Amino acid sequence: MKGVDLTDRQDEWSDWIDAQDVCTNMHISQRTLQTWRIEGLLPFSRIKGKLYYRKSDIFLLLKENYNGDLRRGDYESEDDEKGGMNASEM
């Protein structure tokens, strides 16, 4: 097999991050990351049991779930998600 020159693809290498770094940077648990994999929310690559993710896929996930306009009524507090009272019930 011919050697592959990877020097021209440095930008592609810098796009990959391992699972530990994903959890650290996003402040999530390994279990949450596993759930995202199972649900197909975040693509990944597995090499001999070690998981890698593209930073660009993580940023895309964040962008797709971004709620920049809180006036639309899409915002739910953590209490709302847990079945707590929302502002209209107070």
Side-chain angles (χ1 to χ4, degrees):
M1 181 195 277
K2 291 184 181 180
V4 178
D5 182 14
L6 299 176
T7 56
D8 293 335
R9 301 179 105 175
Q10 289 292 333
D11 56 329
E12 289 183 34
W13 281 104
S14 64
D15 191 35
W16 290 94
I17 186 172
D18 69 13
Q20 181 177 349
D21 287 339
V22 173
C23 291
T24 299
N25 290 325
M26 295 198 64
H27 306 286
I28 60 172
S29 68
Q30 289 279 346
R31 180 64 177 124
T32 297
L33 189 55
Q34 178 183 9
T35 299
W36 291 358
R37 281 194 313 272
I38 291 168
E39 293 177 355
L41 291 176
L42 191 58
F44 64 96
S45 180
R46 183 188 316 254
I47 301 172
K48 292 189 177 185
K50 184 151 174 121
L51 299 167
Y52 298 92
Y53 302 84
R54 287 184 178 230
K55 292 179 197 175
S56 55
D57 289 333
I58 295 166
F59 292 131
L60 182 60
L61 178 65
L62 290 169
K63 184 178 178 181
E64 288 173 346
N65 289 280
Y66 179 67
N67 181 0
D69 186 3
L70 298 179
R71 294 171 290 172
R72 289 190 320 216
D74 292 340
Y75 176 75
E76 292 184 5
S77 70
E78 288 184 28
D79 289 337
D80 293 340
E81 292 174 5
K82 295 175 185 171
M85 290 192 323
N86 62 32
S88 64
E89 296 174 323
M90 297 177 102

